[in-house]
Amino acid sequence: MRTKAVQVLWGYFFLWSLHISSAQTIYPGIKARVTQRALDYGVLAGMDMIEQMVKERKIPDLRGSESLEFLKVDYVNYNFSNIKINAFSFPNTSLAFVPGVGIKALTNHGTANISTDWEIRSPLFQDTGGADLFLSGVYFTGIIVLARNGFGHPILKLQDCYAQVSHAHVSFSGELSVLYNSFAEPMEKPILKNLNEMLCPIIMSEVEALNANLSMLEVLTKIDNYTLLDYSLISSPEITENYMELNLKGVFYPLDNLTDPPFSPVPFVLPERSDSMLYVGISEFFFKSASFAYFTAGAFNVTLSMKEISNHLVQNSQGLGNVLSRIAEIYILSQPFMVRVMATEPPVISLQPGNFTLDIPASIVLLAQTENSTAEAIVSMDFVASTSVGLVILGQRLVCSLSLNRFRLSLPESNRSNIEVLRFENVLSSILHFGILPLANAKLQQGIPLPNPRKISFVNSDIEVFEGFLLISTDLKYEMSLKQQPSFHGWEGLNLISGQWRGKPAA
């Protein structure tokens, strides 16, 4: 019996441990999948970016000393300064995923044309001038490892770096160029040695500089006067043979409260596709958190005069007249009146295959403005407005629009007949359809910024709605002004806020 009891206790402990571990699992609100097509495009776009960067990058001086036995000169000290890369070519460059590790970068048969100033000192003479350095057989390989720091920022590491230049040819210019070129060949070997020793440290320093910029990213983004959006990474990127997947928190917060909503994201799986460069999965949780945050912040409570509503009505005087006449049939009003709409609960989000709906439970109050400027409630009723959500990508933002599907008034406990309630239902449905929703859609036009590196825009985009999430399939286009140096200080299009929350690690 004792043995059996111990087994039972261990069984309970095992189940409890599973429960605790599953309860601590954090699922993303947004998934971004980068495919091999994006890496292939990154090679092409990266060449343009690197070309502009290296032309403006300061390269350390190359110094050395060489003996010239054929001239019986014990030593010649040389210094190459003001080194500039004027042109380069990396015809065989590739990026490929290394499952569970990172992205392997490889280039070979590269060439570079470099101009430089030089200075030579020896016991017999000293001189200065200009020279051209031609490098060939440039080879580089390394693995870029992507991870996440404690604040949800992406960080990069370069491992297994190996870089080598096989050949270097120096050509001096100037009055004594024939003399100098005669002993240029002995100098090429030490130049190659010094250069090959410098390449990986230079590349590593560039990666560190990039990480410094990535650490400045504000992963908490102010959307408007009501909400913040958290785009922090919740885990290091997942690397497979065919893609890299990033898991983002993807949650809205009220502007003055960073407490997580009282519901959790559920796991979802992106379909296995590779035709587009990037796939972004936005979960139902993401939109539910937006609904909850805006409701908590009071964004769904609005009071409008009939004049304000009229400004958003379809420009049809007969339609407006019908609405007003119906109200007048129920209450003979000589004074101005207003409509107050208040959400009673967070709008209900539902994503089903091919269908994105938003149900808004609310109350609507008609108020008459009396002679002493006070508002007197005429009638108050609860309703549910069922809307369809249209989606489109404009620039780097996801823009939503609402259209009314149906409108249902709750029957009030009053002496009014069902016929009278039905007449109110028709009137208020018209106000919602022609007045409130156009006003809401005007607000929604600012859109939701999508997580996207600077200077990268979405092209050939498509949106599909699946059960529990929507999928954005898109290609990418890199755009950079010729007068602008590449920068990674922020995400294009995001309205970044101050760093007052920077000390809060991502959950």
Side-chain angles (χ1 to χ4, degrees), residues 4 39 146 166 176 179 248 363 390 396 401:
K4 186 175 182 180
L39 295 189
L146 293 96
S166 299
L176 301 178
L179 172 64
L248 310 179
S363 65
Q396 297 179 4
S401 61

mmCIF file of all heavy atoms in Angstrom, residues 4 39 146 166 176 179 248 363 390 396 401:
data_model
loop_
_atom_site.group_PDB
_atom_site.id
_atom_site.type_symbol
_atom_site.label_atom_id
_atom_site.label_comp_id
_atom_site.label_asym_id
_atom_site.label_seq_id
_atom_site.Cartn_x
_atom_site.Cartn_y
_atom_site.Cartn_z
ATOM 1 N N LYS A 4 2.222 2.007 -3.416
ATOM 2 C CA LYS A 4 1.182 2.554 -4.291
ATOM 3 C C LYS A 4 0.900 4.009 -3.959
ATOM 4 O O LYS A 4 0.712 4.845 -4.859
ATOM 5 C CB LYS A 4 -0.092 1.723 -4.138
ATOM 6 C CG LYS A 4 -1.188 2.126 -5.103
ATOM 7 C CD LYS A 4 -2.382 1.199 -4.982
ATOM 8 C CE LYS A 4 -3.461 1.600 -5.994
ATOM 9 N NZ LYS A 4 -4.639 0.704 -5.896
ATOM 10 N N LEU A 39 15.754 36.441 -47.751
ATOM 11 C CA LEU A 39 17.216 36.442 -47.659
ATOM 12 C C LEU A 39 17.841 36.712 -49.021
ATOM 13 O O LEU A 39 18.820 37.467 -49.124
ATOM 14 C CB LEU A 39 17.708 35.108 -47.110
ATOM 15 C CG LEU A 39 17.328 34.743 -45.671
ATOM 16 C CD1 LEU A 39 18.083 33.494 -45.233
ATOM 17 C CD2 LEU A 39 17.587 35.889 -44.710
ATOM 18 N N LEU A 146 20.806 35.388 -34.116
ATOM 19 C CA LEU A 146 19.835 36.368 -33.634
ATOM 20 C C LEU A 146 19.288 35.904 -32.295
ATOM 21 O O LEU A 146 18.934 34.735 -32.127
ATOM 22 C CB LEU A 146 18.694 36.545 -34.637
ATOM 23 C CG LEU A 146 19.088 37.176 -35.964
ATOM 24 C CD1 LEU A 146 19.353 36.098 -36.993
ATOM 25 C CD2 LEU A 146 17.990 38.106 -36.471
ATOM 26 N N SER A 166 42.917 37.170 -50.951
ATOM 27 C CA SER A 166 43.982 36.325 -51.521
ATOM 28 C C SER A 166 45.070 37.135 -52.200
ATOM 29 O O SER A 166 46.255 36.790 -52.114
ATOM 30 C CB SER A 166 43.383 35.331 -52.525
ATOM 31 O OG SER A 166 42.458 34.482 -51.892
ATOM 32 N N LEU A 176 57.758 59.774 -59.282
ATOM 33 C CA LEU A 176 58.674 58.646 -59.095
ATOM 34 C C LEU A 176 57.930 57.325 -59.011
ATOM 35 O O LEU A 176 58.376 56.378 -58.372
ATOM 36 C CB LEU A 176 59.512 58.859 -57.822
ATOM 37 C CG LEU A 176 60.369 60.127 -57.784
ATOM 38 C CD1 LEU A 176 61.096 60.233 -56.460
ATOM 39 C CD2 LEU A 176 61.373 60.108 -58.936
ATOM 40 N N LEU A 179 59.784 54.121 -59.915
ATOM 41 C CA LEU A 179 60.683 53.633 -58.866
ATOM 42 C C LEU A 179 59.907 52.924 -57.766
ATOM 43 O O LEU A 179 60.259 51.813 -57.357
ATOM 44 C CB LEU A 179 61.484 54.806 -58.293
ATOM 45 C CG LEU A 179 62.333 54.480 -57.051
ATOM 46 C CD1 LEU A 179 63.425 53.460 -57.414
ATOM 47 C CD2 LEU A 179 62.946 55.766 -56.478
ATOM 48 N N LEU A 248 6.436 37.878 -31.351
ATOM 49 C CA LEU A 248 6.293 39.193 -30.723
ATOM 50 C C LEU A 248 5.138 39.175 -29.735
ATOM 51 O O LEU A 248 4.140 38.475 -29.932
ATOM 52 C CB LEU A 248 6.048 40.263 -31.781
ATOM 53 C CG LEU A 248 7.013 40.290 -32.973
ATOM 54 C CD1 LEU A 248 6.620 41.398 -33.936
ATOM 55 C CD2 LEU A 248 8.439 40.463 -32.515
ATOM 56 N N SER A 363 -24.896 51.037 -25.013
ATOM 57 C CA SER A 363 -26.172 51.693 -24.749
ATOM 58 C C SER A 363 -26.185 53.006 -25.511
ATOM 59 O O SER A 363 -25.140 53.616 -25.754
ATOM 60 C CB SER A 363 -26.362 51.952 -23.254
ATOM 61 O OG SER A 363 -25.398 52.876 -22.777
ATOM 62 N N GLY A 390 -13.264 45.363 -42.527
ATOM 63 C CA GLY A 390 -12.474 45.320 -43.754
ATOM 64 C C GLY A 390 -11.030 45.655 -43.460
ATOM 65 O O GLY A 390 -10.733 46.457 -42.566
ATOM 66 N N GLN A 396 2.967 51.133 -44.383
ATOM 67 C CA GLN A 396 3.407 50.124 -43.423
ATOM 68 C C GLN A 396 2.393 49.980 -42.288
ATOM 69 O O GLN A 396 2.747 49.601 -41.178
ATOM 70 C CB GLN A 396 4.772 50.506 -42.865
ATOM 71 C CG GLN A 396 5.850 50.533 -43.942
ATOM 72 C CD GLN A 396 7.195 50.935 -43.394
ATOM 73 O OE1 GLN A 396 7.363 51.135 -42.210
ATOM 74 N NE2 GLN A 396 8.177 51.055 -44.274
ATOM 75 N N SER A 401 -11.646 49.047 -41.380
ATOM 76 C CA SER A 401 -12.872 49.820 -41.572
ATOM 77 C C SER A 401 -14.052 48.952 -41.167
ATOM 78 O O SER A 401 -14.016 47.724 -41.304
ATOM 79 C CB SER A 401 -13.012 50.286 -43.030
ATOM 80 O OG SER A 401 -13.075 49.171 -43.902
#
